[in-house]
Amino acid sequence: MSQFPDTARASEYGAGSRDYFKFEKGDNRLRVLALAQDPVATHFISKGERAVCIGVSRGCKYHGENAPKGDDGKPKKPSVKYPAYVVDRKTNDIRLVYLPYSVVTALGDLKKDADWSFEELPMPYDVTVKYDPDASGTDMYKVVPSPKSAPITSEIRASLETMKSIDEVADAQRDKAAAETEHAGEIDLGDESEPYHGQLG
Ligand SMILES: [Zn+2]
């Protein structure tokens, strides 16, 4: 059991309302077991080059004037995703996935809905994330709750307990990026010096 994250805290990582994640086109049926309290954000520095955001308060340099710019000269929003453990209903296996910010806010809306409210995670029902890569903005992902959800098996619950907590997974990514940032600041790496190339997933 754990708490649903406070998505207002995502602003710390530069979250906007349009963050995309490549789900399979069509229906993706999931049961959300655990969600990280804070998202993992990725700055797009240039083509093929990304950096994991360590948060504004920890000194992430890719904000404000230093935010990476797109071809149009405008600052590019980071991709903000919540690490999550889910049951993939196709296989009934636990998967680590990075849920787009828009999907997590939709789950938050369900949490507040009179008919679908829930207190803690795992969620008490499945959701189908309908992914349409041809749609734009918030229409790209639609979250549909399922009233006919199979229970979470005792095997799933048992294996979830043996796994590293989802917050540890998220913290480890930020700590790794922070350590490499500090390292780069202290030591002159000369021509070997390269920006951090953190990859999610
Ligand atoms: Zn950042």
Side-chain angles (χ1 to χ4, degrees):
M1 294 281 196
S2 60
Q3 299 295 314
F4 196 85
D6 175 6
T7 51
R9 278 162 56 176
S11 61
E12 156 79 4
Y13 305 92
S17 58
R18 292 161 59 109
D19 290 291
Y20 307 140
F21 178 80
K22 284 208 179 271
F23 277 84
E24 279 180 41
K25 185 175 180 176
D27 291 357
N28 301 263
R29 186 165 173 144
L30 311 167
R31 175 71 67 91
V32 177
L33 301 173
L35 270 166
Q37 291 300 304
D38 290 299
V40 172
T42 308
H43 294 288
F44 296 92
I45 310 302
S46 62
K47 195 166 185 178
E49 191 181 330
R50 298 172 176 210
V52 171
C53 182
I54 60 177
V56 174
S57 61
R58 280 174 87 176
C60 181
K61 60 185 176 183
Y62 299 113
H63 296 265
E65 287 181 5
N66 298 320
K69 311 272 193 303
D71 292 337
D72 57 3
K74 291 180 184 163
K76 281 195 282 190
K77 278 192 188 302
S79 159
V80 176
K81 291 169 184 167
Y82 280 84
Y85 287 133
V86 300
V87 178
D88 176 357
R89 286 304 192 186
K90 261 190 199 149
T91 59
N92 273 325
D93 290 329
I94 299 179
R95 301 261 183 241
L96 170 66
V97 298
Y98 291 86
L99 292 178
Y101 179 65
S102 61
V103 169
V104 178
T105 52
L107 296 175
D109 288 343
L110 285 173
K111 186 175 183 294
K112 286 179 267 181
D113 184 277
D115 292 331
W116 295 103
S117 65
F118 59 95
E119 287 303 317
E120 291 178 310
L121 299 169
M123 284 179 68
Y125 49 84
D126 291 354
V127 293
T128 298
V129 180
K130 293 174 177 291
Y131 172 54
D132 178 2
D134 301 322
S136 62
T138 52
D139 288 337
M140 196 172 272
Y141 298 95
K142 287 212 169 68
V143 176
V144 181
S146 172
K148 294 180 184 173
S149 297
I152 300 168
T153 62
S154 52
E155 287 83 1
I156 290 283
R157 284 184 188 278
S159 54
L160 183 65
E161 276 178 24
T162 66
M163 295 168 76
K164 191 189 268 192
S165 89
I166 199 68
D167 284 313
E168 285 179 87
V169 172
D171 288 346
Q173 291 193 334
R174 278 186 293 270
D175 289 346
K176 181 167 180 276
E180 296 193 10
T181 299
E182 286 156 18
H183 186 69
E186 288 164 8
I187 299 166
D188 180 8
L189 297 173
D191 293 335
E192 301 294 307
S193 174
E194 280 189 358
Y196 179 65
H197 291 251
Q199 292 285 336
L200 297 182

